[in-house]
DNA sequence: TACCAGACTTGATTCAGGTCAAGGTGATGG
DNA sequence: CCATCACCTTGACCTGAATCAAGTCTGGTA
């Protein structure tokens, strides 16, 4: 199943019949308020599961971020599979647990961190998604999502995200080679900021 | 296993050996930043599972809220149990999924809602935890947690929570019979505010 | 090479919620 | 019956991030 850029393939609140696995590209998950305010609750990429949080209806919407491919599994079929392979059930629970732990960290970010700390956390998060969490030397990052998405992910406005990236650049913590391509010059400093220790 | 009021029984970051079920009383889960800022990521009560989000170390701390009783299950024992009763694994996943959906809603609250909307959401949440989500007539609520905890749960300060409750009272949406005892006089109005539709 | 549209940046101003600082309240014990 | 302490409320003021408003950059097109 292929989804083109910006195409929505899960509608928040729609009855949940399927379960997805991202096989290629990237996807963003979000919830909306009636007046259009949006919270991006996560990004998913190759190998990630989608729809674990689904009961009878989806608790989130999902949209491709620059083209993505997915595998769709109807719930009924999944149930047959888990009955046949009980270890799959275990795997799914592990996946859900990992996601839960991530979300707790993100709740702390949204509830208690300053804008500067949020952006720093985001950079470090991207960084350890790609490479390990080695924070001792410069790292090149690719930010495949537009600033709007970063803002909606961090609970900020696009202007604030932009301003803080500029500030980090002026402070020589990062260099911005192009809109999507950023180098962390001092990852350990950014990591400190992310944890609220400046 | 009994835990007295305010007693901490899970240390954030400690190696996770156990899994808990709350059998009585209430418990709060939280994460801390190095400088003491706190985000309460959830409240748990009778029947709730704790530690689903645990991998090798706990992603959160936990503390009793006015005395609680718990059942402790070592991970190893759990594993033996799930091997014996595969349906338990399924049950755990369901629990984790439910929790995931709740957390997505909470991320939207923390990232995108105003203080007024957050407090309204909190009241409605408490309300539907006790009774159904019938929002048509006055409901009596018991808030067993101090204002500090409500504030840390909503990503606000205690002063803001207090001010907004007072405002709701002046607007005749609620009446405050005592610190812990609140009546929603117009639940449907509060519900509207919670969703950002005023 | 110049033009255009969409995305990003930057600046000026505003405001929601935080901070700081007094009070109030009510449960407990002397 | 009053003192004390912990928790809550209220007020005055401040500030970080939002909002409003121009620019600027980039990549695609002719």
């Amino acid at each position: 199943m292929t989804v083109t850029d910006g195409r929505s393939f899960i509608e928040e609140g729609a009855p949940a019949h399927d379960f997805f696995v991202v096989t290629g590209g990237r996807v963003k998950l979000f919830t909306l308020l009636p007046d259009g305010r949006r919270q991006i609750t996560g990004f998913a990429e190759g190998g990630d599961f989608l729809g674990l949080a689904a009961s009878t209806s989806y608790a989130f919407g999902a949209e491709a971020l620059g083209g993505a491919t997915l595998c769709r599994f109807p719930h009924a079929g999944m149930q047959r599979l888990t009955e046949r392979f009980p270890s799959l059930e275990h795997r799914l629970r592990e996946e859900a647990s990992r996601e839960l732990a991530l979300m707790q960290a993100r709740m702390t970010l949204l509830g208690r961190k300053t804008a500067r700390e949020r952006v720093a956390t985001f950079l470090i998060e991207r960084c350890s998604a790609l490479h390990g969490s080695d924070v001792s030397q410069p790292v090149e990052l690719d930010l495949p999502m537009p600033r709007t998405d970063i803002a909606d992910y961090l609970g900020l406005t696009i202007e604030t995200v932009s301003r803080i990236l500029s500030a980090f650049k002026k402070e020589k913590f990062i260099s911005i080679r192009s809109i999507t391509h950023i180098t962390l010059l001092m990852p350990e400093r950014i990591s400190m900021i992310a944890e609220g220790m400046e």
Side-chain angles (χ1 to χ4, degrees), chain A residues 28-64:
Chain A
K28 58 189 171 197
L29 311 177
F30 55 87
T31 56
L32 294 170
L33 290 175
D35 63 359
R37 277 174 285 173
R38 185 177 69 152
Q39 176 67 42
I40 292 189
T41 56
F43 297 104
E45 47 187 52
D48 289 337
F49 292 72
L50 253 70
L52 288 168
S55 44
T56 52
S57 59
Y58 293 113
F60 54 86
E63 200 175 294

